[in-house]
Amino acid sequence: MPAQPVRYSPAAASDTVLHDLAPIRFDGQPIDIRLSLRRSEDGMWRGRILFGAEGTEAERSSAEIFCATSEQDLWQSVRDLRDHHLRDLYRSLL
């Protein structure tokens, strides 16, 4: 997983930021993965995983399965995921 990005100013509560993650392999095919992060109005950081090429019919999205009080805590949750967890999540969305 990539390192945590550095922010010099906090993002607005409604801004969603996409981060590319390392792709996984599923049935021998590479699957692009992105993390969608936002800070909600209550100050919590929330994130979802996006699978597949952006804007295509094959794109799949999880619910906001990540929630943390700080961006660092949310990134720690993302880093704790292993490839087999991501493959299982992707398989559940097919």
Side-chain angles (χ1 to χ4, degrees):
M1 296 283 161
Q4 176 183 329
V6 175
R7 287 193 195 280
Y8 295 102
S9 62
S14 62
D15 290 347
T16 299
V17 180
L18 291 176
H19 299 278
D20 289 330
L21 301 178
I24 59 168
R25 293 196 72 74
F26 184 80
D27 286 341
Q29 299 295 319
I31 306 296
D32 294 333
I33 301 177
R34 292 174 313 285
L35 176 66
S36 172
L37 286 181
R38 70 179 183 92
R39 189 166 187 191
S40 60
E41 291 177 10
D42 63 0
M44 297 293 289
W45 285 90
R46 301 182 187 280
R48 69 178 65 227
I49 300 285
L50 305 166
F51 296 95
E54 184 176 357
T56 66
E57 210 172 283
E59 184 180 34
R60 301 285 187 258
S61 173
S62 72
E64 287 185 329
I65 58 175
F66 299 101
C67 182
T69 56
S70 71
E71 188 177 11
Q72 292 82 10
D73 288 344
L74 192 137
W75 274 103
Q76 185 60 47
S77 297
V78 172
R79 281 192 295 272
D80 287 345
L81 287 176
R82 301 293 183 249
D83 282 352
H84 66 275
H85 295 123
L86 292 170
R87 277 192 299 274
D88 287 344
L89 179 58
Y90 178 69
R91 183 183 0 246
S92 74
L93 297 172
L94 289 179

